Amino acid sequence: MEERRRYIRIPEKLQIFYEVVPTEERGEYITRDISQAGISFLVHDFIPKDSCLKIKLTFRTSFTFEALSRLVWIRERSYNGDYEVGVEFINMPQEAKTYLIDCIKTHIVHY
């Protein structure tokens, strides 16, 4: 099977706040993994594919950034009714991109 991902994903548990744009649906959760292109995390309610989400991520170092993202995939978790989603970053600050790349490089070196 061919790997479709262009970027390395690392397991990272970060606090995430999200808001589905233009609705006022929002939530807070913990990420499952992250790459420089996007993240996956859990949500309680179904969100349609291709929805636009405004997200806010907070790292353990207290570094925080906001970015627009697009929901690329969604899967229901059969055992509890939550959904796992994958989003790709659409628009994020350059400072956040640099920070994220450095975090991924550090993770790879230490593991």
Side-chain angles (χ1 to χ4, degrees), residues 15-43:
Q15 184 177 28
I16 183 170
F17 294 94
Y18 68 90
E19 179 180 336
V20 181
V21 179
T23 73
E24 293 188 17
E25 180 182 344
R26 59 187 71 203
E28 175 182 356
Y29 234 108
I30 302 295
T31 61
R32 297 175 54 78
D33 61 38
I34 190 165
S35 77
Q36 71 185 78
I39 53 177
S40 70
F41 58 99
L42 299 175
V43 296

Side-chain angles (χ1 to χ4, degrees), residues 11-12 28 41-42 46 48-49 70 76 83 94-95:
E12 191 67 44
E28 175 182 356
F41 58 99
L42 299 175
F46 179 81
K49 187 176 171 187
R70 180 179 71 90
E76 185 172 10
Y83 298 89
Q94 184 58 47
E95 177 185 24

Side-chain angles (χ1 to χ4, degrees), residues 43-86:
V43 296
H44 293 298
D45 300 311
F46 179 81
I47 302 170
K49 187 176 171 187
D50 292 324
S51 292
C52 184
L53 282 75
K54 184 167 83 172
I55 60 167
K56 179 179 178 183
L57 280 173
T58 302
F59 290 79
R60 289 185 191 96
T61 60
S62 297
F63 178 79
T64 299
F65 74 87
E66 292 184 4
L68 285 179
S69 61
R70 180 179 71 90
L71 194 134
V72 178
W73 56 264
I74 182 165
R75 288 190 289 253
E76 185 172 10
R77 296 170 61 137
S78 60
Y79 58 90
N80 67 359
D82 283 348
Y83 298 89
E84 183 178 3
V85 299

Side-chain angles (χ1 to χ4, degrees), residues 82-101:
D82 283 348
Y83 298 89
E84 183 178 3
V85 299
V87 301
E88 68 178 351
F89 298 123
I90 297 172
N91 186 356
M92 65 190 289
Q94 184 58 47
E95 177 185 24
K97 289 179 186 178
T98 302
Y99 187 88
L100 197 49
I101 290 169

